[in-house]
Amino acid sequence: QVQLVESGGGLVQSGGSLTLSCAASGSIFTPNAMGWYRQTPGKERGLVASIDYGGSRNYGDSVKGRFTISRDNAKNTMYLQMNSLKPEDTGVYYCRFSSIPSSYWGQGTLVTVSP
């Protein structure tokens, strides 16, 4: 089992910045990948950004150039630096940890961007 604890969500004005963190603990096996997903009411959870153990990154089209994903393997922690935030970035952000064949989700952290 892997436990994930997210932090850093909150309310920010449009154009502002936030940094999310996700700390993993438990049975951490390598290789693994971590990612951030966003969900809004009535919509499916969608990829924001992901990063594998070697540092290869993947971003959703809507956040390219504004968000930066990173990780500290020694701390089993992943970060999402979110800049130039827009109201459409509002949602619950979930951390995901994957190590074949299992994946785990955090409890989610709410990000609200006001106009």
Side-chain angles (χ1 to χ4, degrees), residues 22-44:
C22 174
S25 61
S27 301
I28 306 295
F29 295 101
T30 60
N32 57 64
M34 299 183 76
W36 290 100
Y37 292 73
R38 178 173 65 216
Q39 189 166 25
T40 54
K43 294 186 177 180
E44 292 187 356

Side-chain angles (χ1 to χ4, degrees), residues 20-98:
L20 305 183
S21 299
C22 174
S25 61
S27 301
I28 306 295
F29 295 101
T30 60
N32 57 64
M34 299 183 76
W36 290 100
Y37 292 73
R38 178 173 65 216
Q39 189 166 25
T40 54
K43 294 186 177 180
E44 292 187 356
R45 201 171 293 185
L47 175 70
V48 175
S50 64
I51 184 169
D52 68 15
Y53 194 77
S56 294
R57 298 166 172 84
N58 185 39
Y59 293 96
D61 288 341
S62 66
V63 306
K64 287 179 180 177
R66 299 188 297 122
F67 292 9
T68 302
I69 191 170
S70 61
R71 62 185 291 170
D72 184 334
N73 290 334
K75 297 180 179 179
N76 294 317
T77 300
M78 173 181 63
Y79 306 94
L80 184 69
Q81 175 66 44
M82 305 185 293
N83 297 326
S84 302
L85 282 160
K86 305 175 182 180
E88 50 264 43
D89 295 319
T90 294
V92 179
Y93 284 68
Y94 293 91
C95 169
R96 184 184 184 191
F97 177 95
S98 303

